[in-house]
Amino acid sequence: MSSIKMNIQHVYNWLPEEDILRQGPTATACNQALYDGSREGSDFLGWVKLPSTITEDQFKEIEDAAVSLRSACKVVVVVGIGGSYLGARAIIDALNNSFDWLQTKRERPVIVYAGNSLSEDYLYELIKYLEDKDFGIINISKSGTTTEPAVAFRLLKDLLEEKVGKSEARNRIIAITDAEKGALRTLATIEKYKTFVIPDDIGGRYSVLTPVGLLPIAVAGFDIRKLVHGAATMEKNTGANVAFEYNLSAIYAVIRNELYKKGKKIEILVNYHPKLHYFAEWWKQLFGESEGKDNKGIFPAAVDFTTDLHSMGQWIQEGERTIFETVISIKEPNYKVVIPHDNQNLDGLNYLEGKRVDEVNKMAELGTRIAHVDGGVPNILIEIPKLDEESLGQLIYFFEKACGISGYLLGVNPFNQPGVEAYKRNMFALLEKPGYEEETRAIKQKLSDLYKG
Protein backbone atom coordinates (compact mmCIF):
# COMPACT_ATOMS: atom_id res chain seq x y z
CA MET A 1 0.00 0.00 0.00
CA SER A 2 1.28 3.46 -0.91
CA SER A 3 1.65 5.90 1.97
CA ILE A 4 0.77 9.56 2.17
CA LYS A 5 3.67 11.93 1.58
CA MET A 6 4.44 15.40 2.87
CA ASN A 7 6.45 18.13 1.13
CA ILE A 8 7.63 20.99 3.34
CA GLN A 9 10.05 22.71 0.96
CA HIS A 10 7.81 25.77 0.82
CA VAL A 11 8.06 26.53 4.53
CA TYR A 12 11.85 26.87 4.60
CA ASN A 13 11.80 30.58 3.65
CA TRP A 14 10.04 31.22 6.97
CA LEU A 15 11.25 28.24 8.97
CA PRO A 16 14.68 26.80 8.15
CA GLU A 17 15.04 23.02 8.26
CA GLU A 18 17.46 23.20 11.17
CA ASP A 19 14.85 25.06 13.25
CA ILE A 20 12.37 22.25 12.60
CA LEU A 21 14.89 19.54 13.50
CA ARG A 22 15.81 21.44 16.67
CA GLN A 23 12.27 20.84 17.96
CA GLY A 24 12.51 17.10 17.33
CA PRO A 25 13.27 16.01 20.91
CA THR A 26 10.40 18.12 22.28
CA ALA A 27 7.95 16.74 19.72
CA THR A 28 9.14 13.19 20.39
CA ALA A 29 8.49 13.70 24.10
CA CYS A 30 4.99 14.97 23.32
CA ASN A 31 4.36 11.91 21.16
CA GLN A 32 5.62 9.64 23.93
CA ALA A 33 3.17 11.28 26.34
CA LEU A 34 0.32 10.07 24.12
CA TYR A 35 1.44 6.53 24.92
CA ASP A 36 2.42 6.79 28.59
CA GLY A 37 -0.37 9.15 29.64
CA SER A 38 2.00 11.48 31.47
CA ARG A 39 0.29 14.75 30.53
CA GLU A 40 -3.12 16.41 30.68
CA GLY A 41 -5.95 14.55 29.03
CA SER A 42 -4.50 11.13 29.72
CA ASP A 43 -7.98 9.70 30.26
CA PHE A 44 -8.85 10.36 26.58
CA LEU A 45 -6.08 8.47 24.80
CA GLY A 46 -8.03 5.40 23.71
CA TRP A 47 -7.75 6.46 20.06
CA VAL A 48 -3.94 6.24 20.00
CA LYS A 49 -3.72 2.45 19.62
CA LEU A 50 -7.27 1.94 18.38
CA PRO A 51 -6.66 1.06 14.70
CA SER A 52 -4.34 -1.84 15.49
CA THR A 53 -6.56 -3.24 18.24
CA ILE A 54 -9.99 -3.48 16.57
CA THR A 55 -10.92 -7.17 16.62
CA GLU A 56 -12.57 -9.42 14.06
CA ASP A 57 -15.61 -9.72 16.32
CA GLN A 58 -15.94 -5.93 16.46
CA PHE A 59 -15.70 -5.62 12.69
CA LYS A 60 -18.28 -8.36 12.19
CA GLU A 61 -20.77 -6.89 14.66
CA ILE A 62 -20.64 -3.54 12.87
CA GLU A 63 -20.88 -5.12 9.42
CA ASP A 64 -23.83 -7.31 10.45
CA ALA A 65 -25.70 -4.29 11.85
CA ALA A 66 -24.99 -2.39 8.64
CA VAL A 67 -26.39 -5.24 6.52
CA SER A 68 -29.51 -5.31 8.68
CA LEU A 69 -30.16 -1.59 8.19
CA ARG A 70 -29.38 -1.74 4.48
CA SER A 71 -31.84 -4.59 3.96
CA ALA A 72 -34.70 -2.74 5.67
CA CYS A 73 -34.08 0.88 4.67
CA LYS A 74 -33.88 3.03 1.57
CA VAL A 75 -32.72 5.97 3.66
CA VAL A 76 -30.72 6.02 6.91
CA VAL A 77 -30.61 9.16 9.04
CA VAL A 78 -27.41 9.67 11.03
CA VAL A 79 -28.35 11.76 14.06
CA GLY A 80 -25.46 13.50 15.78
CA ILE A 81 -23.48 16.72 16.08
CA GLY A 82 -19.79 17.59 16.06
CA GLY A 83 -17.60 14.53 16.31
CA SER A 84 -20.68 12.34 16.42
CA TYR A 85 -21.28 12.85 12.71
CA LEU A 86 -18.47 14.85 11.07
CA GLY A 87 -16.03 11.95 10.75
CA ALA A 88 -18.60 9.66 9.18
CA ARG A 89 -19.80 12.36 6.81
CA ALA A 90 -16.22 13.23 5.86
CA ILE A 91 -15.53 9.67 4.73
CA ILE A 92 -18.94 8.99 3.16
CA ASP A 93 -18.92 12.21 1.14
CA ALA A 94 -15.32 11.59 0.04
CA LEU A 95 -16.09 8.08 -1.24
CA ASN A 96 -19.63 8.51 -2.52
CA ASN A 97 -20.70 9.35 -6.04
CA SER A 98 -21.09 13.13 -6.13
CA PHE A 99 -24.72 12.66 -7.18
CA ASP A 100 -25.46 9.73 -4.90
CA TRP A 101 -28.85 10.95 -3.73
CA LEU A 102 -30.08 11.16 -7.35
CA GLN A 103 -29.30 7.52 -8.19
CA THR A 104 -32.43 5.47 -8.86
CA LYS A 105 -30.97 1.96 -9.05
CA ARG A 106 -29.53 1.54 -5.59
CA GLU A 107 -27.79 -1.22 -3.68
CA ARG A 108 -27.36 0.85 -0.51
CA PRO A 109 -29.37 3.47 1.35
CA VAL A 110 -29.17 7.20 0.93
CA ILE A 111 -27.42 8.63 3.99
CA VAL A 112 -28.81 11.88 5.35
CA TYR A 113 -27.99 13.78 8.52
CA ALA A 114 -29.93 15.37 11.35
CA GLY A 115 -29.26 16.73 14.81
CA ASN A 116 -26.42 18.98 13.67
CA SER A 117 -28.46 22.20 13.80
CA LEU A 118 -31.66 23.64 15.23
CA SER A 119 -33.09 24.70 11.89
CA GLU A 120 -36.84 24.20 11.94
CA ASP A 121 -37.04 24.44 8.16
CA TYR A 122 -34.42 21.71 7.73
CA LEU A 123 -36.22 19.36 10.08
CA TYR A 124 -39.58 20.05 8.43
CA GLU A 125 -38.16 19.34 4.99
CA LEU A 126 -36.41 16.19 6.22
CA ILE A 127 -39.63 14.88 7.78
CA LYS A 128 -41.53 15.56 4.55
CA TYR A 129 -38.85 13.75 2.57
CA LEU A 130 -39.00 10.72 4.87
CA GLU A 131 -42.79 10.43 5.01
CA ASP A 132 -42.94 8.07 2.04
CA LYS A 133 -39.53 6.44 2.52
CA ASP A 134 -38.48 3.25 4.28
CA PHE A 135 -35.98 4.76 6.68
CA GLY A 136 -33.92 3.92 9.72
CA ILE A 137 -32.00 5.89 12.30
CA ILE A 138 -28.49 5.74 13.75
CA ASN A 139 -28.65 7.92 16.87
CA ILE A 140 -25.22 8.93 18.16
CA SER A 141 -24.96 10.66 21.52
CA LYS A 142 -22.93 9.96 24.63
CA SER A 143 -25.57 11.44 26.91
CA GLY A 144 -28.74 11.48 24.84
CA THR A 145 -29.50 14.98 26.11
CA THR A 146 -27.48 17.19 23.75
CA THR A 147 -30.16 19.55 22.46
CA GLU A 148 -29.71 19.37 18.69
CA PRO A 149 -29.61 15.57 18.26
CA ALA A 150 -32.14 14.99 21.06
CA VAL A 151 -34.72 17.23 19.37
CA ALA A 152 -34.11 15.59 15.98
CA PHE A 153 -34.30 12.07 17.37
CA ARG A 154 -37.54 12.77 19.22
CA LEU A 155 -39.16 13.96 15.98
CA LEU A 156 -37.75 11.16 13.82
CA LYS A 157 -38.55 8.44 16.33
CA ASP A 158 -42.19 9.58 16.44
CA LEU A 159 -42.36 9.61 12.64
CA LEU A 160 -40.81 6.14 12.30
CA GLU A 161 -43.07 4.59 14.95
CA GLU A 162 -46.10 6.16 13.29
CA LYS A 163 -45.08 4.74 9.90
CA VAL A 164 -44.07 1.17 10.83
CA GLY A 165 -45.14 0.67 14.44
CA LYS A 166 -43.04 0.48 17.59
CA SER A 167 -42.02 -3.13 17.07
CA GLU A 168 -40.56 -2.62 13.58
CA ALA A 169 -39.11 0.76 14.58
CA ARG A 170 -36.98 -1.04 17.16
CA ASN A 171 -35.36 -2.99 14.33
CA ARG A 172 -34.56 0.18 12.42
CA ILE A 173 -33.05 2.25 15.24
CA ILE A 174 -29.46 1.75 16.40
CA ALA A 175 -28.11 3.73 19.34
CA ILE A 176 -24.41 4.52 19.74
CA THR A 177 -23.99 5.80 23.27
CA ASP A 178 -22.44 5.36 26.71
CA ALA A 179 -21.94 1.82 27.98
CA GLU A 180 -23.93 2.27 31.17
CA LYS A 181 -25.44 5.71 31.77
CA GLY A 182 -27.30 8.54 30.15
CA ALA A 183 -30.73 9.16 28.66
CA LEU A 184 -30.03 7.39 25.38
CA ARG A 185 -28.63 4.32 27.13
CA THR A 186 -31.74 4.18 29.33
CA LEU A 187 -34.06 4.56 26.33
CA ALA A 188 -32.15 1.95 24.33
CA THR A 189 -32.47 -0.51 27.20
CA ILE A 190 -36.20 0.12 27.58
CA GLU A 191 -36.90 -0.08 23.84
CA LYS A 192 -34.38 -2.90 23.22
CA TYR A 193 -32.53 -1.05 20.46
CA LYS A 194 -29.38 -2.54 19.01
CA THR A 195 -26.54 -0.56 20.61
CA PHE A 196 -22.86 0.17 20.21
CA VAL A 197 -20.65 1.81 22.83
CA ILE A 198 -18.80 5.10 22.61
CA PRO A 199 -15.61 4.30 24.58
CA ASP A 200 -15.12 6.42 27.67
CA ASP A 201 -11.50 7.10 26.77
CA ILE A 202 -12.16 8.48 23.27
CA GLY A 203 -13.55 11.98 22.77
CA GLY A 204 -16.02 12.77 20.01
CA ARG A 205 -13.61 14.41 17.57
CA TYR A 206 -11.27 11.39 17.76
CA SER A 207 -14.09 8.85 17.43
CA VAL A 208 -14.37 8.28 13.67
CA LEU A 209 -12.67 4.87 13.93
CA THR A 210 -15.10 3.69 16.63
CA PRO A 211 -18.67 2.58 15.85
CA VAL A 212 -19.54 6.31 15.83
CA GLY A 213 -17.96 6.56 12.39
CA LEU A 214 -17.57 2.97 11.28
CA LEU A 215 -21.25 2.01 11.44
CA PRO A 216 -22.56 4.83 9.19
CA ILE A 217 -19.64 4.29 6.82
CA ALA A 218 -20.42 0.57 6.62
CA VAL A 219 -24.14 1.28 6.07
CA ALA A 220 -23.13 3.54 3.18
CA GLY A 221 -21.42 0.52 1.64
CA PHE A 222 -17.74 1.27 2.16
CA ASP A 223 -14.99 -1.04 3.39
CA ILE A 224 -14.32 -0.22 7.02
CA ARG A 225 -11.56 -2.84 7.20
CA LYS A 226 -9.54 -1.02 4.55
CA LEU A 227 -10.20 2.30 6.30
CA VAL A 228 -8.90 0.94 9.59
CA HIS A 229 -5.98 -0.78 7.87
CA GLY A 230 -4.89 2.56 6.47
CA ALA A 231 -5.13 4.11 9.91
CA ALA A 232 -3.16 1.23 11.43
CA THR A 233 -0.41 1.80 8.89
CA MET A 234 -0.15 5.43 9.94
CA GLU A 235 -0.33 4.40 13.61
CA LYS A 236 2.78 2.30 13.02
CA ASN A 237 4.52 5.03 11.01
CA THR A 238 3.99 7.65 13.74
CA GLY A 239 4.61 5.46 16.80
CA ALA A 240 6.54 6.46 19.87
CA ASN A 241 9.66 4.67 18.62
CA VAL A 242 9.69 6.36 15.19
CA ALA A 243 12.52 8.89 14.86
CA PHE A 244 11.34 12.47 14.51
CA GLU A 245 12.73 12.95 10.98
CA TYR A 246 10.54 10.07 9.76
CA ASN A 247 7.43 10.89 11.78
CA LEU A 248 5.20 12.95 9.50
CA SER A 249 2.67 13.80 12.19
CA ALA A 250 5.36 15.09 14.54
CA ILE A 251 7.00 17.16 11.79
CA TYR A 252 3.67 18.69 10.80
CA ALA A 253 2.89 19.49 14.45
CA VAL A 254 6.25 21.23 14.88
CA ILE A 255 5.89 23.28 11.70
CA ARG A 256 2.41 24.47 12.72
CA ASN A 257 3.60 25.61 16.14
CA GLU A 258 6.79 27.24 14.92
CA LEU A 259 4.90 29.18 12.25
CA TYR A 260 2.38 30.19 14.92
CA LYS A 261 5.22 31.65 16.99
CA LYS A 262 6.20 33.69 13.94
CA GLY A 263 2.76 35.27 13.69
CA LYS A 264 1.03 32.81 11.38
CA LYS A 265 -2.23 32.65 13.32
CA ILE A 266 -4.49 31.07 10.68
CA GLU A 267 -4.07 27.70 8.96
CA ILE A 268 -6.05 27.17 5.77
CA LEU A 269 -6.68 23.57 4.76
CA VAL A 270 -6.86 23.50 0.98
CA ASN A 271 -8.26 20.79 -1.27
CA TYR A 272 -8.70 20.56 -5.01
CA HIS A 273 -11.49 18.01 -4.91
CA PRO A 274 -15.04 18.95 -3.83
CA LYS A 275 -15.52 15.54 -2.22
CA LEU A 276 -13.10 16.62 0.52
CA HIS A 277 -15.28 19.50 1.72
CA TYR A 278 -16.57 17.63 4.76
CA PHE A 279 -13.14 16.19 5.47
CA ALA A 280 -12.09 19.79 5.99
CA GLU A 281 -15.07 20.32 8.30
CA TRP A 282 -13.94 17.34 10.37
CA TRP A 283 -10.37 18.72 10.41
CA LYS A 284 -11.60 22.13 11.55
CA GLN A 285 -13.35 20.63 14.55
CA LEU A 286 -10.39 18.39 15.37
CA PHE A 287 -7.90 21.23 15.61
CA GLY A 288 -10.24 24.04 16.63
CA GLU A 289 -11.74 22.21 19.59
CA SER A 290 -8.41 20.64 20.58
CA GLU A 291 -6.21 23.75 20.53
CA GLY A 292 -8.49 26.77 20.86
CA LYS A 293 -8.26 27.37 24.61
CA ASP A 294 -6.30 29.32 27.23
CA ASN A 295 -6.32 32.26 24.75
CA LYS A 296 -4.11 30.22 22.40
CA GLY A 297 -4.45 28.31 19.17
CA ILE A 298 -4.19 28.56 15.41
CA PHE A 299 -7.53 29.39 13.78
CA PRO A 300 -8.44 26.51 11.42
CA ALA A 301 -10.07 27.55 8.15
CA ALA A 302 -10.67 25.70 4.89
CA VAL A 303 -11.22 26.39 1.21
CA ASP A 304 -12.28 24.27 -1.76
CA PHE A 305 -10.11 25.08 -4.77
CA THR A 306 -10.30 25.91 -7.55
CA THR A 307 -13.83 27.06 -6.65
CA ASP A 308 -12.79 29.36 -3.81
CA LEU A 309 -9.92 30.86 -5.79
CA HIS A 310 -12.68 32.97 -7.35
CA SER A 311 -13.82 34.25 -3.95
CA MET A 312 -11.04 33.85 -1.35
CA GLY A 313 -8.05 33.78 -3.68
CA GLN A 314 -7.51 37.54 -3.61
CA TRP A 315 -7.38 37.69 0.20
CA ILE A 316 -5.06 34.69 0.42
CA GLN A 317 -2.74 36.18 -2.20
CA GLU A 318 -2.54 39.74 -0.90
CA GLY A 319 -4.35 40.02 2.45
CA GLU A 320 -2.85 40.16 5.91
CA ARG A 321 0.17 37.86 6.12
CA THR A 322 -1.01 35.93 9.16
CA ILE A 323 -1.77 32.71 7.29
CA PHE A 324 -0.20 29.48 6.11
CA GLU A 325 -1.65 26.73 3.95
CA THR A 326 -1.81 22.96 4.19
CA VAL A 327 -2.77 21.49 0.81
CA ILE A 328 -4.26 18.01 0.41
CA SER A 329 -3.47 16.67 -3.05
CA ILE A 330 -4.81 13.44 -4.56
CA LYS A 331 -2.14 11.78 -6.70
CA GLU A 332 -4.44 9.74 -8.95
CA PRO A 333 -8.15 10.37 -9.60
CA ASN A 334 -10.56 7.45 -9.76
CA TYR A 335 -11.83 8.27 -13.26
CA LYS A 336 -10.49 9.62 -16.54
CA VAL A 337 -11.98 12.53 -18.50
CA VAL A 338 -10.14 13.94 -21.53
CA ILE A 339 -10.74 17.43 -22.95
CA PRO A 340 -11.98 17.17 -26.56
CA HIS A 341 -11.15 19.18 -29.70
CA ASP A 342 -13.63 21.89 -30.75
CA ASN A 343 -13.60 23.08 -34.36
CA GLN A 344 -14.74 26.62 -33.54
CA ASN A 345 -12.50 26.96 -30.47
CA LEU A 346 -14.42 30.05 -29.34
CA ASP A 347 -13.33 29.43 -25.75
CA GLY A 348 -9.69 29.21 -26.80
CA LEU A 349 -9.19 25.87 -25.06
CA ASN A 350 -7.90 23.76 -27.94
CA TYR A 351 -4.43 24.06 -26.44
CA LEU A 352 -5.77 21.69 -23.76
CA GLU A 353 -7.04 19.16 -26.31
CA GLY A 354 -6.20 15.59 -25.31
CA LYS A 355 -5.23 16.49 -21.76
CA ARG A 356 -6.94 14.94 -18.77
CA VAL A 357 -8.98 17.30 -16.62
CA ASP A 358 -6.87 16.17 -13.67
CA GLU A 359 -3.71 17.44 -15.40
CA VAL A 360 -5.30 20.87 -15.68
CA ASN A 361 -6.36 20.65 -12.02
CA LYS A 362 -2.83 19.67 -10.96
CA MET A 363 -1.32 22.61 -12.87
CA ALA A 364 -3.85 24.93 -11.20
CA GLU A 365 -2.78 23.44 -7.87
CA LEU A 366 0.94 23.89 -8.59
CA GLY A 367 0.51 27.37 -10.02
CA THR A 368 -1.54 28.47 -7.03
CA ARG A 369 0.96 27.08 -4.53
CA ILE A 370 3.80 28.93 -6.27
CA ALA A 371 1.79 32.16 -6.39
CA HIS A 372 0.82 31.96 -2.74
CA VAL A 373 4.37 31.19 -1.61
CA ASP A 374 5.59 34.14 -3.68
CA GLY A 375 2.86 36.18 -2.00
CA GLY A 376 4.17 35.36 1.46
CA VAL A 377 2.17 32.27 2.43
CA PRO A 378 4.09 29.24 3.77
CA ASN A 379 2.84 26.02 2.22
CA ILE A 380 2.72 22.40 3.35
CA LEU A 381 1.75 19.76 0.78
CA ILE A 382 0.19 16.47 1.84
CA GLU A 383 -0.28 13.98 -1.00
CA ILE A 384 -2.53 10.95 -0.70
CA PRO A 385 -2.32 8.13 -3.27
CA LYS A 386 -6.04 7.94 -4.15
CA LEU A 387 -9.41 8.92 -2.79
CA ASP A 388 -10.10 5.52 -1.28
CA GLU A 389 -10.62 3.92 2.13
CA GLU A 390 -6.97 3.13 2.88
CA SER A 391 -5.69 6.58 1.94
CA LEU A 392 -8.41 8.30 3.98
CA GLY A 393 -7.67 6.02 6.94
CA GLN A 394 -4.05 7.11 6.80
CA LEU A 395 -5.05 10.76 6.58
CA ILE A 396 -7.44 10.53 9.53
CA TYR A 397 -4.83 9.05 11.84
CA PHE A 398 -2.10 11.37 10.53
CA PHE A 399 -4.14 14.39 11.59
CA GLU A 400 -5.32 12.86 14.88
CA LYS A 401 -1.75 12.08 15.95
CA ALA A 402 -0.50 15.47 14.76
CA CYS A 403 -3.25 17.19 16.71
CA GLY A 404 -2.34 15.42 19.94
CA ILE A 405 1.34 16.29 19.56
CA SER A 406 0.57 19.84 18.44
CA GLY A 407 -1.66 20.50 21.44
CA TYR A 408 1.03 19.39 23.83
CA LEU A 409 3.61 21.53 22.00
CA LEU A 410 1.24 24.48 22.38
CA GLY A 411 0.88 23.82 26.09
CA VAL A 412 -2.83 23.01 26.20
CA ASN A 413 -4.88 19.92 26.95
CA PRO A 414 -5.90 18.79 23.44
CA PHE A 415 -8.61 16.47 24.74
CA ASN A 416 -11.04 18.73 26.60
CA GLN A 417 -13.42 21.43 25.40
CA PRO A 418 -14.55 23.55 28.37
CA GLY A 419 -15.50 26.52 26.21
CA VAL A 420 -18.35 24.79 24.39
CA GLU A 421 -20.44 24.75 27.56
CA ALA A 422 -20.78 28.55 27.74
CA TYR A 423 -23.35 28.93 24.96
CA LYS A 424 -25.30 25.94 26.29
CA ARG A 425 -25.70 27.53 29.72
CA ASN A 426 -27.00 30.73 28.13
CA MET A 427 -29.35 28.84 25.81
CA PHE A 428 -30.77 26.75 28.65
CA ALA A 429 -31.22 29.87 30.77
CA LEU A 430 -33.06 31.68 27.97
CA LEU A 431 -35.30 28.65 27.42
CA GLU A 432 -35.92 28.54 31.21
CA LYS A 433 -34.81 24.93 31.52
CA PRO A 434 -35.54 23.47 34.99
CA GLY A 435 -32.45 23.64 37.17
CA TYR A 436 -31.19 26.83 35.51
CA GLU A 437 -33.27 29.32 37.50
CA GLU A 438 -30.24 31.23 38.80
CA GLU A 439 -28.71 31.44 35.32
CA THR A 440 -32.09 32.56 33.91
CA ARG A 441 -32.29 35.44 36.38
CA ALA A 442 -28.70 36.45 35.67
CA ILE A 443 -29.04 36.45 31.89
CA LYS A 444 -32.35 38.33 32.03
CA GLN A 445 -30.61 40.98 34.10
CA LYS A 446 -27.80 41.17 31.52
CA LEU A 447 -30.33 41.63 28.74
CA SER A 448 -32.19 44.26 30.73
CA ASP A 449 -28.96 46.20 31.33
CA LEU A 450 -27.99 45.86 27.68
CA TYR A 451 -31.24 47.30 26.34
CA LYS A 452 -31.83 50.04 28.95
CA GLY A 453 -32.72 53.33 27.42
Side-chain angles (χ1 to χ4, degrees):
M1 180 184 70
S2 299
S3 295
I4 70 173
K5 297 178 181 178
M6 185 167 67
N7 184 329
I8 60 173
Q9 295 295 316
H10 288 311
V11 302
Y12 290 153
N13 287 344
W14 296 267
L15 188 61
E17 184 176 15
E18 54 268 27
D19 288 357
I20 297 171
L21 293 173
R22 193 175 296 118
Q23 296 300 318
T26 304
T28 298
C30 292
N31 191 25
Q32 178 62 45
L34 296 173
Y35 291 87
D36 61 30
S38 58
R39 301 194 185 188
E40 283 189 299
S42 60
D43 47 345
F44 284 99
L45 297 175
W47 59 273
V48 176
K49 298 180 180 179
L50 177 64
S52 62
T53 57
I54 297 175
T55 67
E56 174 63 26
D57 287 346
Q58 289 170 326
F59 276 126
K60 192 169 187 313
E61 185 180 9
I62 292 170
E63 290 165 342
D64 288 349
V67 168
S68 178
L69 270 185
R70 282 205 301 268
S71 65
C73 305
K74 300 298 184 184
V75 180
V76 172
V77 187
V78 177
V79 178
I81 195 167
S84 293
Y85 96 103
L86 279 172
R89 185 161 192 178
I91 301 304
I92 292 168
D93 278 21
L95 297 175
N96 247 345
N97 184 296
S98 298
F99 306 97
D100 175 71
W101 73 96
L102 296 176
Q103 306 300 310
T104 53
K105 295 180 180 179
R106 306 193 62 87
E107 296 180 356
R108 55 198 187 192
V110 175
I111 307 297
V112 296
Y113 303 89
N116 48 55
S117 76
L118 288 168
S119 169
E120 187 167 356
D121 287 349
Y122 180 89
L123 286 169
Y124 175 85
E125 291 165 359
L126 176 61
I127 289 167
K128 297 301 288 185
Y129 169 72
L130 294 171
E131 281 179 349
D132 63 349
K133 305 291 191 302
D134 289 324
F135 76 94
I137 304 169
I138 301 173
N139 189 19
I140 307 168
S141 177
K142 186 77 170 173
S143 65
T145 59
T146 302
T147 306
E148 295 91 338
V151 167
F153 181 63
R154 179 181 285 204
L155 291 165
L156 295 171
K157 174 177 173 288
D158 282 357
L159 175 63
L160 184 59
E161 290 177 348
E162 181 181 330
K163 276 176 60 67
V164 301
K166 285 182 69 72
S167 179
E168 176 59 21
R170 291 189 185 100
N171 298 326
R172 299 192 191 184
I173 296 174
I174 296 178
I176 304 177
T177 189
D178 190 87
E180 298 178 351
K181 61 184 183 299
L184 183 53
R185 169 54 63 183
T186 301
L187 178 64
T189 301
I190 293 170
E191 297 291 347
K192 297 183 172 59
Y193 297 150
K194 170 68 179 174
T195 63
F196 290 91
V197 171
I198 302 173
D200 286 336
D201 59 355
I202 300 178
R205 57 191 178 274
Y206 293 86
S207 67
V208 62
L209 299 175
T210 74
V212 168
L214 295 182
L215 179 60
I217 293 166
V219 170
F222 301 112
D223 193 330
I224 59 173
R225 294 172 186 257
K226 289 182 179 179
L227 183 77
V228 172
H229 182 262
T233 298
M234 189 54 60
E235 177 191 338
K236 179 180 178 181
N237 292 344
T238 61
N241 296 324
V242 176
F244 173 73
E245 56 266 31
Y246 300 108
N247 190 324
L248 297 186
S249 292
I251 294 169
Y252 174 63
V254 163
I255 291 171
R256 297 179 77 252
N257 278 274
E258 293 304 299
L259 288 174
Y260 179 58
K261 293 175 185 176
K262 293 178 182 294
K264 303 300 183 182
K265 305 292 187 181
I266 301 166
E267 179 176 12
I268 302 175
L269 188 72
V270 179
N271 73 78
Y272 284 78
H273 200 312
K275 288 186 177 184
L276 289 174
H277 176 84
Y278 267 93
F279 192 94
E281 294 301 303
W282 170 81
W283 174 89
K284 281 158 61 177
Q285 191 212 2
L286 177 68
F287 280 92
E289 202 165 76
S290 295
E291 294 189 322
K293 56 200 69 166
D294 301 338
N295 296 314
K296 300 178 182 178
I298 297 165
F299 182 80
V303 288
D304 302 324
F305 285 169
T306 59
T307 305
D308 289 339
L309 281 173
H310 298 264
S311 56
M312 294 299 296
Q314 173 62 40
W315 189 92
I316 295 170
Q317 186 69 44
E318 295 184 347
E320 189 177 56
R321 302 295 76 186
T322 54
I323 60 173
F324 66 98
E325 289 181 312
T326 297
V327 177
I328 299 177
S329 181
I330 302 169
K331 183 176 182 181
E332 183 62 36
N334 290 322
Y335 306 105
K336 183 177 181 179
V337 177
V338 176
I339 298 171
H341 174 80
D342 184 271
N343 287 333
Q344 292 182 304
N345 194 32
L346 295 177
D347 54 18
L349 293 182
N350 273 354
Y351 77 99
L352 297 176
E353 175 187 347
K355 295 183 184 295
R356 293 180 65 176
V357 173
D358 188 63
E359 182 181 350
V360 180
N361 195 36
K362 290 292 199 304
M363 292 307 99
E365 175 187 313
L366 179 58
T368 303
R369 289 177 56 224
I370 293 170
H372 287 179
V373 170
D374 289 346
V377 181
N379 188 286
I380 303 164
L381 177 67
I382 298 169
E383 183 186 77
I384 66 174
K386 291 194 73 173
L387 200 56
D388 60 14
E389 289 96 335
E390 292 208 8
S391 295
L392 289 168
Q394 288 187 58
L395 197 60
I396 286 166
Y397 193 87
F398 164 81
F399 280 126
E400 287 182 342
K401 175 60 77 66
C403 189
I405 297 171
S406 184
Y408 282 154
L409 286 170
L410 183 63
V412 301
N413 177 355
F415 307 112
N416 67 354
Q417 54 278 342
V420 300
E421 299 303 320
Y423 89 89
K424 293 180 184 179
R425 289 193 297 270
N426 288 342
M427 179 178 70
F428 294 152
L430 288 165
L431 291 169
E432 299 186 8
K433 181 178 179 179
Y436 283 78
E437 290 80 9
E438 184 176 339
E439 290 87 347
T440 298
R441 286 191 295 271
I443 200 164
K444 284 184 176 180
Q445 184 60 53
K446 287 182 181 179
L447 292 172
S448 175
D449 294 343
L450 181 64
Y451 292 110
K452 272 183 180 177

